[in-house]
Amino acid sequence: MGMLPCEKEVVKIVLGVLTVLVWSGTCFAENISASFVFGDSLVDVGNNNYIISISKANYPPNGIDFGKPTGRYTNGRTVPDILGQELGLKDYTPPYLAPTTVGPMILKGVNYASGGAGILNEMGKIFVGRINMDAQLDNFANTRQDIITRIGESAAQDLFQRALFIINMGSNDFLDNYLTPILSKPEQELVSPKEFVGVLIPRYKGQLKRLYDMGARKIMVTNVGSIGCIPYSRDINSSSAGIDECVALPNDLANLFNKQLRGVLQDLNNSLKESTFVYADVNRIFGDILHNFKSYGFENADSACCRLAGKHGGIIPCGPPSKVCPDRSKYVFWDPYHLSEDANTIIAKRLIDGGIEEIYPMNLRTLFKH
């Protein structure tokens, strides 16, 4: 028996909708060629495993929801991990220093991030080993040449133009330099917050310009989150519990930096041909999560899930002696400094589909329709 006319129309509509859905999904995936990641421990996926450093996360209970410790400073995936999956990349972007990150693998992107890294080269000495932003750019220059050698300059240029470049820097320049307990007191007396940010911003602008000069065109730069609200800041400043009792100075520094960073990215967009520097306001998204944590399904937004000491679990980094909360999905923070995978997932999805108040001048979905 044949279908009735009305049934045929329904089938046409359903097939049309499915076609649009399939096309939109594959189009998004086809437009991103690779992902190149620069930054600190928030986005490190294992580079610090291969250097002599106090800052490491390649031991349990880190990675408890990833399947094993990998060097990621969280219980599961980082924001770039999630972004890559959502944008259609089949595999996680591998760490630059891993001996397996060679050959055709580099054509899908490389992660250069390092725990303890900062914009300034002198930053992070307390960790001994770390790969700061200038060194990460040097490493990308090596990858760039390897890619050109492998596929030719024209194809490499096309790959870089269609790739997503993620940069997450700045937090450590404050936490482990200007705000380091005791050690930073002399610097704070000699250099005002405005002067310190005045040193960071032009240095960062030059680094972003260098990345553009090496072929990057779609560049997402995240701002600094509310570092005065992390468990570490709450505990070392003897802050009492409570979501509205974050530490003022670290947050003031972050806000001062973020305001100037947004202007820098606008300047770069105006002056560099065919570039799209995207300002990712993770500070705003993070703030929304903290102030409305219950609406996101969290039960705790001021303490670390993986903890050993401190009222908020913010005194000692996550490690084998630490206690882990029974339900990681209920905690915004994994450890004294880093977010849980659930919080990272919220941020990643907002960067993909958020409005211009969260990611400017366009979200990642729009960026890769261009």
Side-chain angles (χ1 to χ4, degrees):
M1 183 182 293
M3 287 188 293
L4 296 174
C6 61
E7 292 176 322
K8 290 181 180 180
E9 288 302 314
V10 170
V11 170
K12 287 181 181 180
I13 292 171
V14 171
L15 289 175
V17 170
L18 289 175
T19 299
V20 169
L21 290 174
V22 170
W23 181 86
S24 63
T26 55
C27 178
F28 199 12
E30 288 171 0
N31 279 337
I32 180 170
S33 60
S35 172
F36 297 92
V37 183
F38 305 78
D40 52 29
S41 59
L42 291 170
V43 294
D44 186 357
V45 294
N47 282 304
N48 275 26
N49 299 353
Y50 303 96
I51 63 175
I52 298 173
S53 176
I54 295 173
S55 179
K56 289 180 180 286
N58 57 340
Y59 44 75
N62 292 298
I64 190 170
D65 296 306
F66 196 85
K68 62 179 181 179
T70 61
R72 289 168 170 82
Y73 295 73
T74 183
N75 59 305
R77 297 172 297 166
T78 66
V79 169
D81 286 333
I82 299 162
L83 289 177
Q85 288 182 312
E86 293 290 328
L87 297 180
L89 296 178
K90 293 181 180 180
D91 301 309
Y92 296 119
T93 303
Y96 173 78
L97 292 181
T100 53
T101 306
V102 293
M105 178 176 288
I106 65 175
L107 300 179
K108 290 298 181 182
V110 177
N111 184 307
Y112 306 91
S114 170
I119 295 167
L120 303 178
N121 287 330
E122 59 269 26
M123 211 294 309
K125 291 180 180 178
I126 60 173
F127 299 115
V128 186
R130 73 281 184 210
I131 310 166
N132 287 322
M133 186 60 175
D134 283 336
Q136 291 183 32
L137 292 172
D138 290 342
N139 291 339
F140 172 68
N142 294 334
T143 301
R144 178 179 180 274
Q145 188 55 54
D146 289 343
I147 290 175
I148 291 173
T149 301
R150 177 169 288 274
I151 65 176
E153 192 156 356
S154 178
Q157 182 179 7
D158 179 66
L159 185 151
F160 296 138
Q161 288 178 348
R162 294 187 297 110
L164 173 62
F165 289 78
I166 301 171
I167 301 93
N168 185 96
M169 277 288 187
S171 297
N172 287 330
D173 290 279
F174 297 116
L175 290 174
D176 302 317
N177 187 335
Y178 194 77
L179 296 172
T180 305
I182 303 174
L183 298 177
S184 64
K185 284 298 181 183
E187 183 176 10
Q188 289 183 25
E189 291 175 0
L190 293 172
V191 182
S192 70
K194 185 177 181 180
E195 289 172 326
F196 184 69
V197 171
V199 172
L200 286 178
I201 287 294
R203 182 67 166 273
Y204 202 18
K205 183 176 184 179
Q207 292 166 340
L208 296 173
K209 171 68 164 53
R210 183 185 175 196
L211 192 58
Y212 170 87
D213 290 340
M214 289 193 285
R217 292 297 179 269
K218 299 179 188 296
I219 305 167
M220 184 186 78
V221 183
T222 65
N223 64 9
V224 174
S226 300
I227 51 179
C229 297
I230 63 177
Y232 165 79
S233 294
R234 291 177 185 273
D235 276 345
I236 66 166
N237 289 279
S238 301
S239 173
S240 58
I243 199 61
D244 295 320
E245 297 182 37
C246 299
V247 184
L249 178 58
N251 285 348
D252 291 343
L253 284 165
N255 291 333
L256 182 61
F257 175 85
N258 292 342
K259 183 177 181 180
Q260 293 189 36
L261 175 62
R262 182 165 183 150
V264 162
L265 299 186
Q266 187 62 54
D267 289 344
L268 292 173
N269 276 327
N270 292 337
S271 62
L272 301 180
K273 183 180 178 182
E274 297 179 351
S275 67
T276 305
F277 286 85
V278 175
Y279 177 75
D281 195 349
V282 296
N283 190 13
R284 183 186 182 97
I285 301 170
F286 179 45
D288 180 51
I289 294 172
L290 291 181
H291 287 92
N292 301 291
F293 65 96
K294 290 183 179 179
S295 67
Y296 288 102
F298 296 112
E299 294 177 359
N300 187 300
D302 59 17
S303 298
C305 168
C306 182
R307 58 187 297 157
L308 185 58
K311 185 174 183 178
H312 301 279
I315 300 297
I316 299 175
C318 179
S322 303
K323 294 181 179 179
V324 178
C325 61
D327 188 347
R328 274 93 60 188
S329 69
K330 300 301 182 183
Y331 277 67
V332 172
F333 293 100
W334 163 243
D335 68 8
Y337 313 93
H338 309 97
L339 300 179
S340 65
E341 178 180 329
D342 287 82
N344 284 336
T345 300
I346 294 169
I347 291 173
K349 291 186 176 180
R350 298 269 277 272
L351 295 178
I352 290 174
D353 289 310
I356 59 172
E357 70 281 357
E358 295 175 343
I359 180 163
Y360 181 86
M362 64 188 73
N363 60 37
L364 295 184
R365 191 174 300 278
T366 303
L367 178 65
F368 282 94
K369 286 181 181 178
H370 279 49

